[in-house]
């Protein structure tokens, strides 16, 4: 139990750090870009989506490793054990969409729960960031 808690803590800390750094960088970059405000917003959206994609892939890689390391549990259902299956599961879990076609068993379930919570928090953080960026430029002439 200590091992899974440590792994979960480290991977969540890593993705939160990546997200923080991505939004910080975007907050410094966007005001310096001399284009129409609506296009700056689009750059912010694309940058945030890139950050989320990196974070989802990190979770997918950890799922892949945990699935193939004996003792953490496994995935059942429409799952072949391939890396892309783990990334797909990570996408659906991170976004809290959860189709239910893949079911985790064993200790790997704890990471599944924390991925959902982390995704919810980071997606909300991104929405707040983009709202503030849009608010700063709202009504400016193009």
């Amino acid at each position: 139990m200590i091992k899974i808690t440590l792994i979960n803590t480290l991977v969540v800390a890593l993705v939160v750090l990546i997200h923080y750094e991505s939004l910080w960088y975007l907050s410094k970059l966007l005001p310096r870009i001399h284009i129409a405000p609506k296009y700056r917003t689009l750059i912010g959206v694309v940058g945030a989506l890139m950050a989320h994609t990196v974070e989802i892939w990190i979770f997918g890689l950890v799922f892949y490793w945990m699935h193939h390391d004996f003792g953490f549990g496994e995935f059942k259902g429409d799952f072949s054990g391939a890396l892309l299956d783990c990334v797909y599961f990570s996408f659906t879990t991170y976004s809290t969409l959860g189709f239910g076609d893949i079911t985790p068993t064993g200790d790997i379930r704890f990471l599944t729960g924390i991925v959902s919570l982390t995704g919810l928090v980071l997606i909300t953080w991104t929405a707040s960031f983009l709202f503030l960026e849009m608010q700063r430029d709202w009504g400016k002439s193009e």
Side-chain angles (χ1 to χ4, degrees), residues 29-118:
L29 174 70
L30 292 176
R32 294 181 184 166
I33 300 174
H34 299 293
I35 57 176
K38 65 182 179 182
Y39 297 121
R40 278 198 300 271
T41 299
L42 287 175
I43 291 170
V45 169
V46 170
L49 286 173
M50 289 171 53
H52 285 293
T53 302
V54 167
E55 295 150 12
I56 289 165
W57 270 87
I58 289 171
F59 281 124
L61 288 166
V62 173
F63 280 132
Y64 182 79
W65 170 72
M66 291 176 84
H67 174 73
H68 288 89
D69 187 289
F70 299 102
F72 286 112
E74 61 183 351
F75 293 104
K76 295 186 178 185
D78 189 13
F79 183 80
S80 70
L83 175 60
L84 285 181
D85 280 350
C86 293
V87 173
Y88 161 79
F89 179 75
S90 178
F91 264 103
T92 60
T93 304
Y94 184 95
S95 65
T96 69
L97 182 61
F99 286 123
D101 55 343
I102 300 173
T103 306
T105 62
D107 287 346
I108 206 167
R109 292 175 301 154
F110 296 108
L111 180 59
T112 302
I114 200 75
V115 168
S116 293
L117 181 60
T118 304

